[in-house]
Amino acid sequence: MKTILKITKNELSTLFYSPIAWLILIIFTFQSGMAYANAWDGILRSVALGFNPSSLTGRLLLGWPGAISSMQEHLFLYIPLLTMGLMSQEYNRGSIKLLYSSPVTNRQIIFGKYLSMIIYAAILVGILFIYYIFTAFTIKSVGTPFALTALLGVFLMICAYAAIGLFMSSLTAYQVVAAVGTLAVLAVLNYIGNVGQEIPFVRDITYWLSISGRADTFFKGLICSEDFLYFILVITLFVTLSILRLQAERTKRSTSQNLFRYGGIIVVTLLIGYISARPALRCYYDATEMKENTLTQNSLDIMKKLDGPLTITTYVNMFDENYFRALPRYYNEDLNRFEKYIRFKPEIKMKYVYYYDKTNNPTLEQRYPGLTDEQRLKKICDALDWDVKRVLTPEQIRAKEDLSGEYNKYVRIIERGNGQKSYLRLYDDNYRHPTETEISAALKRMIVKPPLVAFLSGHGERSINGVGDRDYYAFSQYKEFRSSLVNQGFESVSLSLDSVDCIPDNIDILVISDLRTALSPKEQKIIEDYIADGRNLLIAGEPRRQENMNPLLKSLGLSFMPGILVQESKDFSADLILATPTTTSLNIAKRFQQIAAWESKVTMPSAVGIMQTEDKGFNVIPMLTTDSTGSWNELETTNFIEDTAQINPSIGEIEKANTTMMYLNRQVNNKEQRIIVLGDADCIANGELTRQRNGISSSNFSVITESFYLLSFGEFPVDTSRKGSSDNRVYINENWGIWINIFFMSILPGFLILLYLALWWKRRKK
């Protein structure tokens, strides 16, 4: 051990007498300091503008501009320059012969030199640790485990790079060649994850070999045994190869013997890495405060109940525009999307089935005009270098799985061992793939009964099959809309009361919207019995429909007010209501808290007010109201394009806040009944959900999400939200910005420059 420490001391002396080590240290300090100062500038500026900061630990240290995470791209260049002379200079100076003739073993030489690199790595990490210390004193509740995990990732990355550089330095007497060789190996390790992705076993090996993104998990606050062992194995491999290289120099062996030894250590390393990457053998530690790298508690509860085998089969239509997302080269990336679930259920199996069949893809005809489906498939397979036989024909896929209900689009089918199935789809938004909310909803459908939502029809109500502006197709069953009920765990059907005597027992929620004609006495009785039975209901009204709908509200002790609500506006029609959540609603609906925090509105074109007329035993809670000023219930004006609404107190028009959404609940038949009443049926219709108005931030879908969350007793949508982090307060003001820049970009690097000059002057005097 003393010999190793002596070699380490000599190596550090040589290292810090050279300008390269100091130059790297100074540049590293300046660049990280610049990133840290810039991160502070952004935060202090946003605080000065009145914004509330959040997740400050991540933003200052670990985010895209953070001081720690931003340095990983520079280490790729720094370390080869640092390690290029570790052994090369020994060969170049001829001092390697002295080492060979001295009583120093090959292991001691390599360990001593590598230990010097570990110490240098610790110095670089120590500089980054200074930013953590400053952060801890200037923000509230700094995420210490989060930051230390990221520092560990940087340290392991530097050590891995140094081990590679040490080995390359042991191969040549030319330092530049060693540096370029190290860069080449690092480039290969970054690229190799894309090699052989069509071959299953090779895909697993090359993907594991890839160093690209290995430290990212640490920067996210997650320590995964696979990534930790990867760095340890890379370090061990290249340090061992360096020792074998010296042994080959000192002990004459045949080329085949040397190749066997090198190959043996490489194969053993790959085998250990392959085994450690198996899902069942991985271990995790989530260092984030809110456990952001782990499933939320609701999702964990679902996973605990999913006993038995589970298979996720991705059905890929080669004629679908999204077919490329499931090509073999993306298998591992696809697997990562479900890693949080596989962590708690390692036996999950991922399968892929490729087929071709008719689907809605206009670009297909443009790309291959005049060709048959078989000819088009041949063209696609030739481009992918695939055998056409691996793609199922329309007849074969229909015999295996009927995907007509999914329009032959890209879809995943989750199947339990007992035969239960659930669907996961791609969505027509920027992210495309399902998030934890959609995945957990699909899984939960297999352990609890999906709530069945029935939409009343037969009286001109909004249709769940219509795609017009007034209809409800988007939020009810549009399969490419992420937030639609069908993707959030619900099932929806249309229900006519013509041929039934009562609402079927399997219906959990009844929706009645915008009755254009009155209900018959029989239908009225059926719905009154439904309400009396304590079952859940959503009613959405409209102006000029009060006469048809108020008989329904009578049994609730409510009434739609006559007239139409108006709100003074210079830019929009007076009948456009910008409703806001009440204070009471914030304690009931989580997403209403976001509406209030973001100062968003619920846009309601042509709404009616809701008032309580008598006590029917319900707990009545207003959820949305109009403004208390500039808004009233208009009883005269009906044309808001040509006429101007003016308040007329003489006929009962009063400027005040009127309720546009009401929530009722009570105990009936030993169960809780929940009912929601909306004063506007348009606010959740296709047109309003997709409409944007300049200067208005609308959040209408929160009304749908929270309404059905309440009506399903919190079963769906699955709540995967997390509490905000506690590092949300800054103890300094904007005036500190200039001093942060001066200290971290000038004083700290300047101190290192002075330290180097002092050492250089001392050496020169000697």
Side-chain angles (χ1 to χ4, degrees):
M1 188 64 186
K2 290 182 179 179
T3 304
I4 294 175
L5 293 177
K6 184 176 180 180
I7 294 173
T8 301
K9 182 179 179 181
N10 292 335
E11 191 62 39
L12 286 173
S13 298
T14 303
L15 188 67
F16 281 101
Y17 273 131
S18 71
I20 289 293
W22 284 100
L23 183 62
I24 290 174
L25 197 60
I26 292 167
I27 294 176
F28 180 88
T29 304
F30 175 78
Q31 287 185 321
S32 59
M34 182 170 59
Y36 187 64
N38 288 339
W40 263 116
D41 284 344
I43 290 173
L44 292 177
R45 190 179 301 111
S46 64
V47 171
L49 291 172
F51 295 101
N52 296 319
S54 62
S55 304
L56 291 172
T57 303
R59 292 178 63 183
L60 289 169
L61 302 176
L62 307 168
W64 174 72
I68 297 177
S69 55
S70 65
M71 295 311 297
Q72 64 172 321
E73 60 188 69
H74 304 299
L75 295 173
F76 189 87
L77 299 174
Y78 295 158
I79 304 305
L81 297 176
L82 192 68
T83 60
M84 64 183 183
L86 285 175
M87 291 302 301
S88 297
Q89 63 184 356
E90 303 287 357
Y91 295 133
N92 193 37
R93 294 187 307 216
S95 56
I96 189 66
K97 296 180 180 179
L98 294 176
L99 286 174
Y100 286 164
S101 61
S102 65
V104 180
T105 65
N106 298 319
R107 289 183 177 85
Q108 290 172 334
I109 294 172
I110 296 300
F111 287 159
K113 288 182 174 290
Y114 186 67
L115 182 57
S116 68
M117 289 296 97
I118 292 177
I119 294 173
Y120 191 89
I123 293 173
L124 293 178
V125 172
I127 291 172
L128 298 178
F129 188 76
I130 294 173
Y131 306 131
Y132 159 73
I133 295 295
F134 185 83
T135 304
F137 281 100
T138 51
I139 70 170
K140 174 189 174 185
S141 303
V142 66
T144 298
F146 190 5
L148 295 182
T149 297
L151 291 174
L152 174 62
V154 173
F155 180 74
L156 290 173
M157 180 186 292
I158 297 173
C159 290
Y161 287 2
I164 296 169
L166 173 61
F167 173 65
M168 298 307 298
S169 180
S170 69
L171 297 177
T172 177
Y174 301 99
Q175 295 188 33
V176 174
V177 174
V180 173
T182 303
L183 286 171
V185 172
L186 292 176
V188 169
L189 289 177
N190 272 280
Y191 174 77
I192 200 170
N194 300 314
V195 175
Q197 294 300 294
E198 298 285 338
I199 308 170
F201 180 74
V202 176
R203 176 172 60 242
D204 291 340
I205 293 294
T206 56
Y207 190 79
W208 179 86
L209 274 173
S210 177
I211 201 170
S212 177
R214 283 289 178 179
D216 290 349
T217 54
F218 292 89
F219 298 147
K220 294 176 183 176
L222 179 68
I223 299 178
C224 175
S225 60
E226 178 190 355
D227 297 315
F228 182 81
L229 284 174
Y230 173 84
F231 285 115
I232 299 301
L233 288 172
V234 167
I235 293 168
T236 303
L237 171 63
F238 283 96
V239 169
T240 304
L241 291 177
S242 301
I243 295 172
L244 293 179
R245 166 63 180 164
L246 293 191
Q247 289 178 350
E249 288 286 319
R250 302 178 75 170
T251 305
K252 297 301 180 182
R253 291 189 176 92
S254 65
T255 302
S256 59
Q257 287 178 319
N258 287 329
L259 289 177
F260 179 78
R261 301 181 76 195
Y262 289 141
I265 187 64
I266 292 173
V267 169
V268 170
T269 302
L270 291 177
L271 183 61
I272 296 173
Y274 180 80
I275 294 173
S276 67
R278 299 306 88 198
L281 298 179
R282 293 177 190 163
C283 299
Y284 299 86
Y285 170 69
D286 192 346
T288 58
E289 179 188 2
M290 307 314 300
K291 304 303 176 186
E292 296 170 7
N293 301 298
T294 308
L295 294 175
T296 57
Q297 188 59 51
N298 285 336
S299 296
L300 287 174
D301 293 340
I302 294 169
M303 296 304 293
K304 291 175 183 177
K305 298 176 182 178
L306 278 173
D307 54 343
L310 192 70
T311 303
I312 302 176
T313 305
T314 303
Y315 288 91
V316 187
N317 187 352
M318 300 303 291
F319 290 168
D320 181 25
E321 59 185 357
N322 292 299
Y323 80 92
F324 68 92
R325 300 179 187 275
L327 293 178
R329 70 176 69 110
Y330 299 122
Y331 278 3
N332 284 302
E333 181 181 329
D334 203 35
L335 191 65
N336 288 337
R337 294 189 179 94
F338 295 90
E339 184 180 8
K340 290 181 180 179
Y341 293 87
I342 295 173
R343 185 192 312 181
F344 298 98
K345 194 173 181 61
E347 63 270 26
I348 291 178
K349 294 181 180 180
M350 303 282 289
K351 294 182 179 180
Y352 297 84
V353 175
Y354 299 91
Y355 71 99
Y356 74 98
D357 204 347
K358 300 290 185 182
T359 189
N360 182 24
N361 184 4
T363 63
L364 197 66
E365 182 64 36
Q366 297 172 8
R367 287 157 48 205
Y368 307 112
L371 299 184
T372 64
D373 286 349
E374 290 73 17
Q375 291 171 330
R376 290 170 177 171
L377 177 67
K378 183 68 167 56
K379 291 279 188 181
I380 294 173
C381 289
D382 287 345
L384 297 174
D385 195 22
W386 274 22
D387 184 354
V388 175
K389 294 180 180 179
R390 72 185 295 183
V391 182
L392 301 182
T393 65
E395 294 75 19
Q396 290 172 325
I397 188 62
R398 291 167 193 166
K400 182 180 181 66
E401 189 73 43
D402 182 11
L403 299 173
S404 59
E406 298 297 321
Y407 314 110
N408 293 325
K409 306 290 283 185
Y410 182 113
V411 67
R412 304 183 201 268
I413 296 182
I414 306 174
E415 187 171 4
R416 295 181 71 183
N418 60 11
Q420 286 181 303
K421 293 182 179 181
S422 190
Y423 291 83
L424 272 177
R425 307 170 178 90
L426 292 184
Y427 308 113
D428 190 15
D429 54 31
N430 291 333
Y431 189 69
R432 305 294 288 177
H433 290 280
T435 63
E436 181 184 340
T437 301
E438 291 78 49
I439 297 173
S440 293
L443 294 172
K444 190 172 183 178
R445 285 170 58 95
M446 296 189 290
I447 59 176
V448 302
K449 174 186 174 295
L452 179 59
V453 183
F455 291 78
L456 194 67
S457 62
H459 295 273
E461 299 92 339
R462 308 302 174 93
S463 171
I464 61 173
N465 299 310
V467 295
D469 284 351
R470 69 182 299 274
D471 293 316
Y472 286 172
Y473 176 72
F475 90 80
S476 63
Q477 54 182 1
Y478 181 31
K479 293 180 179 178
E480 293 185 43
F481 185 28
R482 180 183 304 276
S483 300
S484 66
L485 297 182
V486 70
N487 290 320
Q488 295 299 324
F490 296 87
E491 293 181 357
S492 56
V493 296
S494 292
L495 175 67
S496 174
L497 300 181
D498 290 341
S499 58
V500 298
D501 294 324
C502 64
I503 308 270
D505 292 338
N506 65 330
I507 290 175
D508 301 286
I509 303 168
L510 179 64
V511 177
I512 304 174
S513 61
D514 189 15
L515 295 176
R516 292 191 168 190
T517 59
L519 297 172
S520 68
K522 175 189 173 184
E523 293 170 329
Q524 180 76 26
K525 178 68 166 53
I526 291 174
I527 295 175
E528 288 177 353
D529 290 344
Y530 177 89
I531 295 173
D533 193 37
R535 299 166 71 181
N536 294 354
L537 176 70
L538 186 148
I539 298 176
E542 275 288 303
R544 299 179 295 279
R545 307 284 188 258
Q546 291 94 327
E547 184 178 351
N548 298 332
M549 303 199 70
N550 275 339
L552 285 176
L553 296 185
K554 185 176 181 181
S555 60
L556 306 179
L558 301 179
S559 176
F560 284 131
M561 298 166 60
I564 183 172
L565 297 178
V566 296
Q567 184 171 318
E568 292 178 338
S569 174
K570 295 180 181 179
D571 303 312
F572 303 101
S573 176
D575 60 345
L576 175 64
I577 299 300
L578 305 180
T580 55
T582 63
T583 303
T584 309
S585 71
L586 304 183
N587 300 321
I588 300 173
K590 284 186 177 181
R591 288 175 179 81
F592 280 23
Q593 297 175 11
Q594 297 176 354
I595 295 176
W598 297 341
E599 298 182 351
S600 298
K601 302 291 183 181
V602 176
T603 54
M604 293 183 156
S606 64
V608 294
I610 309 167
M611 62 181 180
Q612 184 174 9
T613 56
E614 56 182 314
D615 187 356
K616 292 290 186 177
F618 288 96
N619 180 27
V620 181
I621 304 171
M623 299 287 283
L624 294 173
T625 65
T626 64
D627 287 343
S628 58
T629 58
S631 178
W632 64 89
N633 186 40
E634 177 64 39
L635 300 173
E636 293 180 316
T637 306
T638 57
N639 186 342
F640 297 98
I641 297 177
E642 298 179 0
D643 297 337
T644 301
Q646 294 182 345
I647 189 168
N648 185 356
S650 63
I651 60 172
E653 296 179 353
I654 304 173
E655 185 179 26
K656 67 173 184 176
N658 289 287
T659 302
T660 58
M661 178 179 178
M662 199 81 82
Y663 171 57
L664 298 82
N665 66 333
R666 67 176 177 178
Q667 292 294 323
V668 180
N669 298 330
N670 297 320
K671 62 182 179 182
E672 182 182 4
Q673 180 181 29
R674 296 180 175 183
I675 297 174
I676 288 176
V677 180
L678 288 170
D680 179 33
D682 288 326
C683 71
I684 56 176
N686 298 339
E688 197 60 29
L689 290 177
T690 56
R691 186 170 182 178
Q692 295 182 347
R693 296 178 176 86
N694 291 332
I696 298 177
S697 173
S698 61
S699 188
N700 283 35
F701 209 86
S702 295
V703 174
I704 301 170
T705 304
E706 289 305 302
S707 294
F708 285 94
Y709 182 80
L710 288 170
L711 295 175
S712 67
F713 300 103
E715 292 288 351
F716 295 96
V718 177
D719 184 7
T720 58
S721 62
R722 303 175 191 270
K723 295 181 180 179
S725 58
S726 58
D727 54 344
N728 56 6
R729 182 181 174 188
V730 176
Y731 293 142
I732 58 179
N733 56 37
E734 196 175 13
N735 296 329
W736 279 66
I738 184 65
W739 298 108
I740 292 174
N741 279 271
I742 291 173
F743 180 78
F744 289 106
M745 294 175 60
S746 300
I747 295 178
L748 199 56
F751 172 75
L752 294 176
I753 293 174
L754 292 176
L755 198 61
Y756 168 66
L757 292 175
L759 184 64
W760 172 79
W761 180 255
K762 180 180 179 181
R763 184 184 180 190
R764 186 184 179 194
K765 289 178 66 177
K766 286 184 177 181

